């Protein structure tokens, strides 16, 4: 029978333990939050993602103020819509109150030029001299892998930690959500471009949507990876519960609420179930001249922040090319709302709030479940290069069986730690051998696979599709099972790293597509860096221990969703 998820708690935020009995959906009620969390002072840092933009007057921090477990805790709002990571370091962090011990941070989008990319790929603010979408996407990918991006993150985390550490606190880095359902045909002839006419429209075809989603997933992956490197340096023992920085990934909460999803007309903008603002559907019209409603074209800054950038470029385009015709998207939009484009609405901010509150509950224990687990993959699943040859499985088994009934299944290994991990195998081979163990009807399947496809250059571009086919095989054969799909651990082998980053960015979309279809499939981030590898591919013992901890946390999250049921009798 399914158990209950006992939510206990907070680590310094954390050294005091508060017991929360959860409701059926895992969310604590106000009556159950008998005591305030031990937060001395809470600060909101970053850019427009945490600056009441898409949500109108409600960003995730504002919504957190009313959460039962954070009642009465109002943040110190320091975020700026145009902030870069360096701006946060130099101008926001110095304003932190001395007793701050809880920080939320959203940053980096301005560093990678997200507004310019949206201009080039979607909105066409600059008219007939529009930017090159493909070039800007490639430049953003290159910058994310640069030493400058890594240094900026290390610097800002170090500066924030110098304040929160002395107060026993934590930093919560909040990731972004992907914009689109990228597989539906409904948006292929839809354009949000500001200007009409030949060569001006930019249609939201599947390729455009896929590329922009991949940009966001790549951005999230890099932030997560750089946070993992920072944490590893601060806590060498590998206990992820002691890490000073926590990455908040709310992306899958947006499934079923993205732009261009099935069953809606066009992007779905304005629908309460669409959780992104697109800039269209508002009321104040633009005028061509004078340019007061835009920006004075002679003096405005075309490289400024979101609102300044968009309205200045529209003004300059109209001045340079008077025959340009504004579309409904352009002519129907209040200019001081252009900075809202592609930001979460109030409902989306609410989802981010829910994920933050869920993730800060560090002491949760999975209890009372009957878990029949199938580890599925290649050599990392088998535990290659670990001292005992068991990899993550021994730690995972020992952790779970303290409060649950646990068995592993698979044709490899010996009881109780069987598995279906085959060294050297590619995704297609693992898909084939899965048929051996799936008749055992596991109610949990752990997938980490793809490493060998990338290292041997086996049609790398198609590797995410092969992973999708494997997931479909598993969910068809065991439809009741929770399928946890790990983004693969990056390799330090020459020339391999970038391919691993690209594959992992696509894994997020592969998983999201299955969730939208109602499958119990979840993406899992492994907090392992190349510093945790013994041979450039396989984790050391500490790395395998981190994998076990990450699987446990993913199972806790699956339990909160109500996904874990009793195993099917066979």
């Amino acid at each position: 029978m399914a158990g209950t998820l006992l939510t206990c708690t907070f680590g310094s935020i954390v050294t005091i333990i508060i017991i929360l009995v959860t409701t059926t959906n895992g969310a604590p009620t106000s009556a159950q939050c008998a005591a305030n969390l031990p937060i001395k002072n809470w600060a909101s840092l970053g850019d427009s993602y945490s600056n009441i933009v898409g949500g109108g007057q409600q960003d995730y921090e504002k919504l957190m103020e009313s959460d039962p477990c954070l009642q009465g805790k109002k943040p110190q709002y320091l975020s700026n819509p145009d902030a870069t990571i360096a701006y946060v370091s130099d101008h926001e962090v110095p304003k932190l109150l001395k007793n701050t011990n809880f920080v939320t941070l959203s940053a980096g989008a301005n560093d990678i030029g997200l507004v310019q990319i949206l201009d080039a790929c979607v909105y066409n603010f600059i008219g007939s001299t529009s930017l090159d979408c493909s070039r800007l996407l490639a430049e953003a990918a290159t910058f994310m892998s640069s030493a400058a991006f890594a240094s900026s993150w290390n610097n800002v985390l170090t500066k924030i930690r110098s304040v929160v550490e002395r107060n026993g606190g934590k930093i919560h880095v909040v990731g972004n959500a992907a914009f689109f359902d990228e597989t539906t045909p409904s948006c292929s002839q839809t354009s949000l471009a500001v200007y009409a006419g030949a060569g001006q429209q930019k249609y939201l075809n599947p390729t455009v949507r896929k590329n922009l989603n991949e940009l966001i997933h790549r951005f999230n992956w890099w932030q997560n990876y750089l946070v993992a490197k920072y944490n590893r340096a601060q806590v060498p023992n590998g206990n992820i519960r002691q890490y000073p920085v926590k990455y908040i990934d709310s992306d899958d909460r947006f499934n079923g609420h993205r732009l261009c999803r099935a069953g809606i007309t066009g992007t779905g903008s304005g629908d309460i179930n669409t959780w992104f603002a697109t800039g269209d559907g508002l009321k104040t019209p633009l005028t061509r001249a004078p340019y007061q409603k835009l920006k004075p074209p002679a003096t405005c800054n075309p490289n400024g922040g979101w609102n300044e950038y968009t309205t200045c470029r529209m003004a300059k385009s109209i001045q340079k090319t008077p025959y340009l015709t504004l579309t409904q998207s352009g002519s129907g939009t209040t200019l001081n709302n252009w900075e809202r484009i592609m930001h979460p609405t109030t409902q989306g901010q609410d989802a981010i709030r829910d994920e933050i509150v869920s993730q800060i509950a560090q002491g949760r224990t999975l209890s009372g479940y009957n878990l029949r687990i199938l580890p599925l993959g290649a050599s990392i699943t088998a535990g290659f290069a670990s001292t005992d040859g068991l990899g993550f499985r021994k730690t995972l088994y020992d952790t779970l069986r303290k409060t649950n009934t646990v068995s592993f299944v698979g044709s490899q290994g010996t009881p109780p730690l069987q598995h279906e991990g085959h060294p050297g195998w590619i995704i297609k081979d693992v898909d084939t051998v899965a048929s051996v163990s799936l008749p055992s009807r596991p109610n949990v399947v752990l997938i980490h696979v793809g490493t060998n496809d990338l290292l041997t250059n086996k049609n790398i571009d198609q590797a995410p599709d092969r992973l999708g086919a494997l997931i479909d095989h598993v969910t068809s054969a065991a439809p009741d099972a929770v399928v946890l799909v790990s983004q693969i651990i990056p390799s330090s082998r020459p020339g391999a790293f970038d391919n691993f980053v690209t594959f992992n960015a696509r894994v997020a979309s592969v998983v999201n597509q299955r969730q939208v279809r109602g499958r119990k499939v979840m993406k899992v981030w492994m907090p392992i860096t190349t510093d945790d590898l013994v041979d450039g591919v396989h984790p050391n013992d500490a790395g395998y221990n981190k994998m076990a901890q990450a699987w446990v946390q993913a199972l806790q999250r699956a339990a909160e969703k109500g996904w874990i049921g009793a195993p099917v009798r066979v």
Side-chain angles (χ1 to χ4, degrees):
M1 79 185 267
T4 57
L5 186 67
L6 301 179
T7 307
C8 8
T9 246
F10 296 90
S12 312
I13 327 194
V14 206
T15 50
I16 297 177
I17 298 205
I18 303 170
I19 303 297
L20 303 178
V21 180
T22 62
T23 61
T24 55
N25 65 1
T29 66
S30 56
Q32 293 160 345
C33 290
N36 289 331
L37 300 183
I39 297 176
K40 299 172 184 176
N41 198 66
W42 164 23
S44 166
L45 306 180
D47 53 28
S48 56
Y49 221 69
S50 59
N51 193 255
I52 315 182
V53 174
Q57 296 301 312
Q58 298 290 319
D59 62 4
Y60 61 80
E61 290 99 341
K62 196 75 176 173
L63 290 162
M64 284 174 70
E65 289 181 21
S66 61
D67 187 271
C69 289
L70 292 165
Q71 238 170 19
K73 302 296 184 183
K74 296 182 181 296
Q76 180 188 13
Y77 286 107
L78 297 174
S79 53
N80 182 307
D82 301 334
T84 60
I85 301 170
Y87 181 95
V88 175
S89 295
D90 296 340
H91 299 282
E92 296 181 14
V93 176
K95 297 176 183 177
L96 286 172
L97 298 178
K98 292 182 178 180
N99 65 342
T100 298
N101 72 337
F102 185 96
V103 170
T104 51
L105 170 64
S106 300
N110 291 320
D111 296 75
I112 68 169
L114 184 56
V115 67
Q116 289 90 345
I117 292 169
L118 290 173
D119 178 4
C121 302
V122 178
Y123 284 98
N124 197 19
F125 293 116
I126 201 168
S128 59
T129 56
S130 186
L131 303 168
D132 185 313
C133 175
S134 297
R135 178 178 61 81
L136 290 181
L137 287 168
E139 288 177 355
T142 299
F143 180 70
M144 283 184 262
S145 65
S146 70
F149 192 61
S151 177
S152 293
W153 271 107
N154 188 74
N155 187 43
V156 72
L157 294 176
T158 298
K159 285 188 175 182
I160 297 171
R161 193 177 182 225
S162 69
V163 176
V164 302
E165 183 182 27
R166 62 173 175 257
N167 298 308
K170 285 186 181 287
I171 305 165
H172 299 80
V173 174
V174 181
N176 288 28
F179 308 123
F180 301 103
D181 185 323
E182 61 194 56
T183 61
T184 58
S186 58
C187 267
S188 295
Q189 295 301 312
T190 298
S191 175
L192 295 175
V194 172
Y195 298 107
Q200 299 299 326
Q201 298 287 55
K202 294 181 177 293
Y203 294 104
L204 297 174
N205 59 58
T207 299
V208 170
R209 287 179 268 151
K210 174 184 174 182
N211 289 342
L212 288 171
N213 280 359
E214 183 175 321
L215 169 75
I216 297 302
H217 293 315
R218 183 184 294 267
F219 177 64
N220 288 345
W221 189 91
W222 268 112
Q223 288 184 105
N224 219 334
Y225 185 77
L226 295 173
V227 164
K229 285 185 73 70
Y230 182 83
N231 281 330
R232 186 184 187 280
Q234 307 307 312
V235 185
N237 68 15
N239 186 340
I240 64 179
R241 294 192 183 281
Q242 296 177 5
Y243 282 175
V245 186
K246 191 165 188 65
Y247 188 79
I248 305 297
D249 184 355
S250 61
D251 178 67
D252 70 352
R253 289 183 180 263
F254 284 72
N255 286 329
H257 302 284
R258 303 186 200 272
L259 299 167
C260 301
R261 65 190 183 279
I264 60 172
T265 301
T267 63
S269 177
D271 187 307
I272 194 171
N273 289 313
T274 302
W275 290 358
F276 287 99
T278 61
D280 60 349
L282 301 176
K283 300 200 175 183
T284 304
L286 294 175
T287 55
R288 287 174 180 273
Y291 295 101
Q292 287 87 348
K293 284 186 178 292
L294 292 168
K295 297 286 182 181
T299 59
C300 67
N301 179 12
N303 297 309
W306 288 66
N307 195 47
E308 176 81 8
Y309 177 99
T310 55
T311 54
C312 181
R313 286 185 176 241
M314 282 190 280
K316 287 181 177 293
S317 294
I318 292 174
Q319 182 187 48
K320 183 176 181 180
T321 316
Y323 61 80
L324 285 173
T325 302
L326 291 167
T327 63
Q328 178 60 34
S329 175
S331 63
T333 302
T334 306
L335 290 187
N336 61 9
N337 282 294
W338 274 112
E339 64 184 9
R340 295 175 59 189
I341 58 174
M342 298 303 183
H343 285 72
T345 62
T346 297
Q347 292 78 16
Q349 297 284 356
D350 198 35
I352 297 172
R353 180 275 308 272
D354 289 346
E355 186 63 25
I356 295 172
V357 171
S358 171
Q359 289 296 312
I360 62 176
Q362 284 292 319
R364 297 170 298 180
T365 301
L366 198 70
S367 178
Y369 288 89
N370 185 352
L371 303 172
R372 187 185 298 159
I373 300 172
L374 169 61
L376 183 61
S379 56
I380 291 175
T381 297
F384 184 84
S386 60
T387 301
D388 59 9
L390 299 174
F392 64 77
R393 300 192 315 282
K394 179 69 163 57
T395 302
L396 178 60
Y397 178 79
D398 289 345
T399 301
L400 293 175
R401 73 171 180 154
K402 292 176 183 177
T403 51
N404 304 275
T405 300
V406 183
S407 60
F408 282 34
V409 296
S411 66
Q412 305 296 298
T414 57
L417 300 175
Q418 300 99 310
H419 62 93
E420 207 62 73
H422 297 266
W425 285 25
I426 61 175
I427 297 170
K428 183 179 179 181
D429 297 333
V430 173
D431 192 354
T432 300
V433 80
S435 298
V436 174
S437 295
L438 287 172
S440 300
R441 295 303 298 270
N443 63 343
V444 176
V445 180
L446 312 178
I447 297 177
H448 182 287
V449 69
T451 301
N452 295 310
D453 296 68
L454 302 188
L455 291 178
T456 58
N457 292 306
K458 296 289 185 182
N459 299 317
I460 291 177
D461 290 344
Q462 301 304 314
D465 294 332
R466 294 194 294 274
L467 175 63
L470 169 60
I471 295 170
D472 292 341
H473 179 190
V474 171
T475 56
S476 176
D480 53 298
V482 173
V483 183
L484 303 180
V485 182
S486 172
Q487 292 177 303
I488 60 175
I489 296 165
S491 171
S492 59
R493 295 274 178 90
F497 195 93
D498 288 345
N499 286 336
F500 278 65
V501 176
T502 299
F503 177 82
N504 283 330
R506 294 303 301 152
V507 168
S509 289
V510 167
V511 170
N512 284 342
Q513 290 162 19
R514 273 73 190 170
Q515 266 199 31
V516 168
R517 297 175 201 163
R519 306 291 190 265
K520 295 189 290 187
V521 183
M522 184 186 299
K523 177 193 71 183
V524 180
W525 158 259
M526 290 296 166
I528 297 175
T529 73
T530 54
D531 298 322
D532 297 305
L533 306 179
V534 295
D535 56 4
V537 177
H538 299 92
N540 56 27
D541 288 347
Y544 277 119
N545 182 57
K546 291 179 188 179
M547 289 188 74
Q549 294 177 71
W551 289 128
V552 170
Q553 290 186 344
L555 281 168
Q556 291 169 339
R557 195 158 181 263
E560 287 182 346
K561 291 176 177 286
W563 282 5
I564 304 176
V568 174
R569 290 186 179 183
V570 291

